[in-house]
């Protein structure tokens, strides 16, 4: 069965420092990977998906099939990046349904 | 445009009671989903519907039922609530199963 692992429950970084949120998945085929974000008192929303290859709010994520990873990175964290981040996986076997990781809480301190 | 709404915002429920969580979207999305969010477990899919009139089981369907009588509404029913169903419940919708999902604000349910 496919699985998404986010090993860090909490990441605390200083403003201006780089931040990397780890995401590993278990699936042998061609997955589609997503990062969703939930800011305080806001709804869960899509941050980015690997097929779009975009940089959103300064965040990037590269799908590494060899390492089965989809880590989220930002070179200079901002206080408004403080949020809960979820990595999610979709596969052809799951007919597009999402499998979420446990989430990583990011706290950016000034 | 409201997008996707959920009701109630929060509820405290006695064990054994029946409860229906409501979800309505006005985006004419075909697919809808119910998740529960638990600390340390992330979001887990309870049930989904890829179009009006059809539903399917997710990862944790036991104790829950859904119906999809029309495109806009996707209620989630707990027939006889148990304390392990204490959670935050999120409804979501997407144009189709493979598209971006849009989430509601959530319902915080406590079963005592």
């Amino acid at each position: 069965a496919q699985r998404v692992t986010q090993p860090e429950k909490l990441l605390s970084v200083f403003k201006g420092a780089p931040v990397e949120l780890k995401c590993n998945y278990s699936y042998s085929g061609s997955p589609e990977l997503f990062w969703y974000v939930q800011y305080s008192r806001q709804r869960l929303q899509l941050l980015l998906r690997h097929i779009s290859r975009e940089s959103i709010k300064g965040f990037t994520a590269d799908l590494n099939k060899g390492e089965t990873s989809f880590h989220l990175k930002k070179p200079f964290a901002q206080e408004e990046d403080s949020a809960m981040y979820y990595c999610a996986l979709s596969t052809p076997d799951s007919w597009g349904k999402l499998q979420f990781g446990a989430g990583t809480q990011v706290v950016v301190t000034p | 445009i409201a997008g996707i709404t959920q009701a109630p915002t929060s509820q405290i429920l006695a064990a054994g009671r029946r409860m229906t969580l409501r979800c309505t979207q006005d985006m004419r999305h075909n697919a809808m989903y119910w998740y529960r969010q638990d600390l340390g477990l992330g979001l887990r899919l309870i049930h989904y519907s890829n179009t009006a009139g059809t539903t399917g089981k997710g990862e944790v369907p036991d104790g829950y039922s859904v119906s999809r009588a029309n495109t806009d509404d996707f209620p989630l029913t707990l027939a006889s609530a148990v304390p392990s169903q204490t959670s935050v419940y999120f409804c979501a919708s997407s144009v189709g199963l493979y598209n971006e999902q849009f989430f509601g604000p959530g319902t915080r349910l406590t079963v005592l």
Side-chain angles (χ1 to χ4, degrees):
Chain A
Q2 54 240 27
R3 179 181 294 179
V4 178
T5 302
Q6 293 180 250
E8 304 122 338
K9 291 183 179 179
L10 173 66
L11 269 183
S12 184
V13 299
F14 287 108
K15 177 181 175 182
V19 60
E20 181 179 31
L21 288 74
K22 291 185 168 49
C23 173
N24 289 91
Y25 66 90
S26 61
Y27 181 67
S28 59
S30 295
E32 188 166 355
L33 274 297
F34 306 80
W35 278 99
Y36 277 80
V37 60
Q38 188 175 26
Y39 301 103
S40 179
R41 300 188 190 88
Q42 293 188 29
R43 305 179 183 206
L44 196 67
Q45 59 187 282
L46 179 67
L47 180 62
L48 55 81
R49 58 197 302 176
H50 88 272
I51 61 169
S52 62
R53 297 185 177 273
E54 292 177 302
S55 173
I56 306 293
K57 299 185 179 183
F59 285 98
T60 59
D62 291 318
L63 178 61
N64 186 323
K65 290 187 177 181
E67 296 182 358
T68 59
S69 68
F70 188 57
H71 303 327
L72 183 68
K73 303 175 185 179
K74 185 170 182 176
F76 307 103
Q78 303 299 314
E79 289 181 69
E80 56 264 30
D81 297 328
S82 296
M84 178 68 100
Y85 292 79
Y86 291 98
C87 183
L89 167 76
S90 171
T91 70
D93 304 345
S94 69
W95 294 94
K97 297 190 294 296
L98 294 175
Q99 178 81 34
F100 283 87
T104 298
Q105 180 73 47
V106 172
V107 177
V108 181
T109 53
Chain B
I1 297 176
I4 183 164
T5 60
Q6 293 183 236
T9 301
S10 65
Q11 182 75 45
I12 298 174
L13 190 66
R17 297 296 295 270
R18 180 184 180 90
M19 176 75 191
T20 295
L21 308 185
R22 299 184 296 279
C23 175
T24 299
Q25 53 101 0
D26 62 3
M27 299 177 282
R28 307 304 294 172
H29 284 173
N30 288 316
M32 297 188 74
Y33 315 82
W34 274 105
Y35 295 90
R36 59 177 291 172
Q37 182 187 42
D38 301 289
L39 193 63
L41 297 175
L43 279 80
R44 292 179 293 168
L45 183 65
I46 304 170
H47 285 287
Y48 68 96
S49 167
N50 59 9
T51 190
T54 67
T55 62
K57 293 182 179 180
E59 183 184 356
V60 288
D62 293 344
Y64 306 95
S65 63
V66 292
S67 60
R68 187 86 184 278
N70 56 61
T71 297
D72 299 344
D73 302 298
F74 191 44
L76 176 74
T77 297
L78 289 68
S80 179
V82 295
S84 61
Q85 292 177 311
T86 294
S87 186
V88 180
Y89 291 86
F90 288 99
C91 181
S93 70
S94 62
V95 172
L97 280 178
Y98 292 92
N99 299 100
E100 174 185 354
Q101 293 186 20
F102 294 84
F103 285 79
T107 294
R108 183 174 296 276
L109 181 67
T110 302
V111 182
L112 301 176

